[in-house]
Amino acid sequence: MMDALVSYTFYQSKLVFLLFLPVCLGFPFFRRKALCEKRRHQLLLEFKESLSILSSFLSAGYSTENAFRASIPELRSLFSDKAMIVQEFEAIAHGLRLNRTIEELLSDFAYRSGLDDIANFAEIFTVAKNSGGRLVQIIQHTAGVIRDKVQIHEDILTMNASKRYEQKVMNMIPFGIILYMNFSSPEFLSTLYTTLLGRITMTGCLAVYILAIYLAERIMRIEV
């Protein structure tokens, strides 16, 4: 759909449509980073809830290993069987049955998650467990820090919601203007589609349009 819209608006050429088609087919690969960031944020939300459940079992007198096992049914009821945090806790429980240490399993989890908060928690958890520290207080503190971070992130998204909507509207305005001119006065823009200089001009406009979208995305992306 986007390929047809861009090809018609800027070139009115079937050849350009065919040339741009491989780029559109590869679009999911270009969106891979954004999708990964979305999954990491979802995992962080689930991890925050898992820490609250984990600390409650530790406060009730469960050992560390049993607390992780007991948290799985609670996480399933809170999220779903296919939730990322449920799969990770099941992997930890499976590793414990294979006599792997909880420290090693948490380190593996932190490495695969790619999240600094989980990596920091794994390091602090390992030091506290080996030195006899207060695991419950450490987990509760970590959950509080992550909760504050997530809240700040959600507040930023809420404040930027209107701007993001405006950005999407602005992204479509160039198409609307050019299409309106093409349908209302086709001879007015005909030279842009039939001459070499016109093709170069439209290609330049398309490049500026793509650059503007890229810069807008970078400006709206605020890291916490």
Side-chain angles (χ1 to χ4, degrees), residues 164-221:
R164 290 181 179 275
Y165 178 76
E166 292 175 7
Q167 176 197 346
K168 292 180 180 179
V169 173
M170 292 296 293
N171 289 343
M172 299 306 299
I173 286 179
F175 290 100
I177 294 175
I178 297 176
L179 290 175
Y180 173 77
M181 294 296 295
N182 281 330
F183 286 117
S184 61
S185 303
E187 69 282 352
F188 186 77
L189 299 179
S190 60
T191 56
L192 294 176
Y193 301 106
T194 57
T195 64
L196 177 61
L197 182 59
R199 298 288 188 183
I200 295 175
T201 301
M202 293 302 284
T203 301
C205 292
L206 179 59
V208 172
Y209 173 74
I210 294 174
L211 178 62
I213 293 179
Y214 171 75
L215 292 177
E217 290 290 338
R218 289 293 300 272
I219 292 172
M220 298 299 292
R221 186 185 304 133

Side-chain angles (χ1 to χ4, degrees), residues 8 12 25-26 30-31 34 41 66 78 91-92 101 116 118 128 131 158 162 167-168 170 187 192 205 214:
Y8 178 80
Q12 292 187 359
L25 293 177
F30 297 128
R31 293 287 298 170
H41 180 66
N66 288 333
L78 184 61
I92 291 174
T101 63
D116 293 336
I118 299 180
S131 60
T158 301
S162 61
Q167 176 197 346
K168 292 180 180 179
M170 292 296 293
E187 69 282 352
L192 294 176
C205 292
Y214 171 75

Side-chain angles (χ1 to χ4, degrees), residues 112-130:
R112 285 183 285 101
S113 69
L115 290 170
D116 293 336
D117 293 291
I118 299 180
N120 294 334
F121 170 77
E123 293 178 2
I124 296 173
F125 182 91
T126 299
V127 173
K129 192 171 187 299
N130 293 334

Side-chain angles (χ1 to χ4, degrees), residues 85-150:
I85 195 63
V86 172
Q87 295 178 6
E88 294 295 342
F89 269 54
E90 288 176 344
I92 291 174
H94 178 70
L96 291 173
R97 290 193 293 270
L98 299 178
N99 295 324
R100 296 180 65 187
T101 63
I102 188 66
E103 296 90 338
E104 180 185 358
L105 293 169
L106 280 176
S107 296
D108 290 343
F109 171 35
Y111 175 77
R112 285 183 285 101
S113 69
L115 290 170
D116 293 336
D117 293 291
I118 299 180
N120 294 334
F121 170 77
E123 293 178 2
I124 296 173
F125 182 91
T126 299
V127 173
K129 192 171 187 299
N130 293 334
S131 60
R134 299 179 178 180
L135 287 177
V136 177
Q137 288 79 1
I138 291 173
I139 292 176
Q140 290 175 346
H141 174 72
T142 304
V145 171
I146 295 176
R147 189 179 299 109
D148 293 340
K149 181 177 180 179
V150 170

Side-chain angles (χ1 to χ4, degrees), residues 2-60:
M2 182 56 68
D3 182 17
L5 182 61
V6 172
S7 301
Y8 178 80
T9 304
F10 289 93
Y11 298 99
Q12 292 187 359
S13 171
K14 295 180 180 179
L15 177 61
V16 174
F17 171 79
L18 296 176
L19 291 176
F20 282 177
L21 193 58
V23 178
C24 294
L25 293 177
F27 181 75
F29 296 98
F30 297 128
R31 293 287 298 170
R32 182 177 179 180
K33 183 178 180 181
L35 294 175
C36 288
E37 290 179 356
K38 184 177 180 180
R39 284 178 59 84
R40 289 193 185 102
H41 180 66
Q42 179 61 32
L43 178 59
L44 185 63
L45 293 175
E46 296 175 1
F47 181 69
K48 178 197 67 173
E49 298 299 331
S50 71
L51 290 182
S52 300
I53 296 173
L54 191 63
S55 63
S56 65
F57 281 112
L58 291 173
S59 300

